[in-house]
């Protein structure tokens, strides 16, 4: 049986540490989340983020807008939040309605308040090997999880399945910067199995039943980012956990692996931005 990369346990440890640090603050960091429309998954994510922030004492405000909101209205609000010194971190919950250009919206966030690390400045820093103000939450969470279990990526062949802007692409840059050899796969990749079998560390971020036991090596570390509901309404990941966990060296479960680490990273990022902004003022 594989070593389980336990994201819940690490979340509890890291958030407890963060809470004791925050207990000593006289002014609390503030995170503002912009939520557009009625997407139930987005509402759930935002609710979880808000609950976690509240437990830590981080001030969390959610600004909700109907689907009909215009790009101009959102841009005006972001500009306002950028210049509001009481706001340390801004998050725009994705996806946005089709009539809104998500790049325009994200690009408007000040890089020093960009808690997701998605602005061109932060992603550009990441690609060029410079340190961004913060690292994108899910890739950062994956690094924290691997680090907790003493799994180094240096010199390893890391295969990432999925090339999204929020997981696959930033993760590949972070892996490269940490001296891993990286292969990125996607829906056009031929012979996926032949590639995943060469992975020392396999990260799957797809959102469907994909990774079977014949696709991984026995000594591999498997990180499952995917989350979806199966036909019985059960939350599961991309990896056939029951069979793959019997043979690999280490594996992250779903739920309880990368998910809790993403939210933990969001809290850590909020506090990092707060500290950076306050240091700047001194
Ligand atoms: P996404 O934008 O949904 O994209 C999915 C990626 O998977 C795309 O790059 C797609 O390729 C690739 N793909 C689809 N079918 C494939 C196949 N048969 N073989 C190989 N690659 C395939 O990605 P995302 O937003 O990163 O989300 C991915 C999953 O992770 C979702 O289940 C999401 O809910 C979950 N997620 C979890 C967390 C967490 O905290 N645990 C955070 C973020 C996302 P193309 O580019 O060619 O279309």
């Amino acid at each position: 049986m594989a070593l389980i990369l336990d994201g819940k346990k690490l979340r509890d440890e890291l958030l407890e540490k963060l809470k004791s640090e925050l207990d000593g603050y006289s002014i609390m960091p503030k995170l503002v989340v912009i939520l557009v429309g009625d997407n139930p998954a987005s509402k759930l994510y935002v609710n979880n983020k808000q609950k976690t922030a509240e437990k830590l004492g981080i001030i969390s405000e959610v600004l909700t807008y109907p689907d009909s909101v215009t790009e101009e209205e959102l841009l005006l609000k972001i500009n306002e939040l950028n210049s509001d010194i009481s706001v340390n971190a801004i998050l725009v919950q994705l996806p946005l309605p089709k009539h809104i250009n998500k790049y325009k919206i994200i690009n408007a966030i000040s890089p020093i308040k960009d808690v997701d690390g998605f602005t061109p400045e932060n992603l550009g820093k990441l690609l060029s090997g410079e340190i961004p103000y913060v690292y994108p939450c899910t890739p950062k969470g994956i690094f924290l999880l691997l680090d907790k279990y003493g799994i180094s990526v240096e010199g390893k062949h890391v295969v990432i399945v999925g090339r999204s802007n929020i997981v696959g692409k930033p993760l590949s840059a972070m892996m490269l910067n940490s001296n891993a050899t990286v292969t990125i796969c996607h829906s056009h990749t031929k012979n996926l199995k032949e590639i995943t079998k060469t992975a020392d560390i396999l990260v799957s971020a797809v959102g469907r039943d994909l990774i079977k036991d014949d696709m991984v090596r026995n000594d591999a570390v498997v990180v499952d980012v995917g989350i979806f509901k199966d036909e019985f309404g059960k939350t599961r990941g991309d990896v056939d956990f029951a069979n793959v966990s019997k043979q690999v060296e280490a594996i992250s479960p779903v739920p309880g692996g990368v998910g809790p680490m993403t939210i933990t990273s969001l809290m850590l990022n909020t506090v990092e931005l707060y500290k950076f902004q306050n240091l700047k003022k001194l």
Side-chain angles (χ1 to χ4, degrees):
M1 180 72 186
L3 168 72
I4 303 298
L5 307 176
D6 187 341
K8 272 194 199 160
K9 192 167 157 221
L10 181 57
R11 170 198 62 196
D12 292 348
E13 274 172 39
L14 292 173
L15 292 187
E16 195 185 314
K17 206 166 137 212
L18 190 63
K19 170 107 178 60
S20 15
E21 181 184 336
L22 288 166
D23 284 345
Y25 284 23
S26 51
I27 300 172
M28 284 299 166
K30 180 172 176 181
L31 165 70
V32 175
V33 178
I34 293 181
L35 174 63
V36 181
D38 278 329
N39 181 331
S42 294
K43 280 186 176 169
L44 186 71
Y45 292 144
V46 168
N47 200 14
N48 286 342
K49 287 167 187 174
Q50 199 174 17
K51 272 203 226 147
T52 309
E54 272 165 15
K55 274 192 214 151
L56 294 171
I58 290 174
I59 304 165
S60 148
E61 193 180 329
V62 180
L63 304 175
T64 52
Y65 292 89
D67 259 327
S68 57
V69 70
T70 63
E71 227 167 67
E72 288 66 33
E73 281 174 89
L74 290 179
L75 290 172
L76 266 177
K77 179 46 80 178
I78 290 171
N79 281 337
E80 198 184 294
L81 297 171
N82 283 342
S83 33
D84 181 344
I85 55 162
S86 75
V87 174
N88 306 105
I90 304 168
L91 183 153
V92 176
Q93 184 64 44
L94 299 173
L96 290 171
K98 288 206 165 48
H99 67 278
I100 292 177
N101 180 336
K102 71 172 173 189
Y103 300 108
K104 225 169 161 180
I105 300 299
I106 289 168
N107 297 358
I109 301 172
S110 161
I112 64 164
K113 296 190 178 184
D114 166 27
V115 73
D116 266 332
F118 291 164
T119 57
E121 182 168 336
N122 281 318
L123 286 177
K125 280 177 191 277
L126 195 59
L127 266 185
S128 65
E130 210 186 318
I131 297 174
Y133 293 108
V134 290
Y135 291 94
C137 297
T138 302
K140 174 175 174 147
I142 292 171
F143 266 81
L144 289 169
L145 197 55
L146 292 175
D147 189 55
K148 167 71 186 173
Y149 288 92
I151 300 165
S152 159
V153 306
E154 185 170 348
K156 303 274 174 66
H157 182 207
V158 177
V159 175
I160 302 169
V161 190
R163 55 173 164 178
S164 71
N165 288 338
I166 65 169
V167 186
K169 282 185 198 158
L171 180 65
S172 67
M174 287 167 70
M175 288 288 179
L176 269 181
N177 293 344
S178 301
N179 298 323
T181 303
V182 183
T183 302
I184 309 177
C185 304
H186 45 76
S187 68
H188 299 257
T189 299
K190 295 200 174 88
N191 305 323
L192 182 67
K193 186 163 125 179
E194 300 315 312
I195 300 171
T196 56
K197 272 163 78 174
T198 65
D200 297 311
I201 300 176
L202 173 65
V203 182
S204 186
V206 172
R208 50 177 284 194
D209 187 13
L210 187 68
I211 308 294
K212 309 287 180 210
D213 53 359
D214 62 348
M215 295 173 77
V216 288
R217 277 205 335 244
N218 286 349
D219 58 349
V221 171
V222 178
V223 177
D224 193 351
V225 183
I227 311 174
F228 65 93
K229 296 257 189 222
D230 67 13
E231 68 262 41
F232 309 108
K234 190 174 167 237
T235 300
R236 52 156 304 179
D238 296 353
V239 181
D240 173 6
F241 184 87
N243 290 311
V244 172
S245 63
K246 281 187 201 147
Q247 72 178 65
V248 295
E249 193 117 325
I251 185 167
S252 72
V254 178
V258 176
M261 295 313 302
T262 297
I263 212 154
T264 302
S265 301
L266 177 68
M267 299 301 126
L268 293 168
N269 281 357
T270 301
V271 176
E272 277 174 31
L273 293 179
Y274 167 92
K275 284 186 191 164
F276 175 80
Q277 291 158 29
N278 283 288
L279 263 179
K280 244 180 75 185
K281 280 180 219 141
L282 293 176

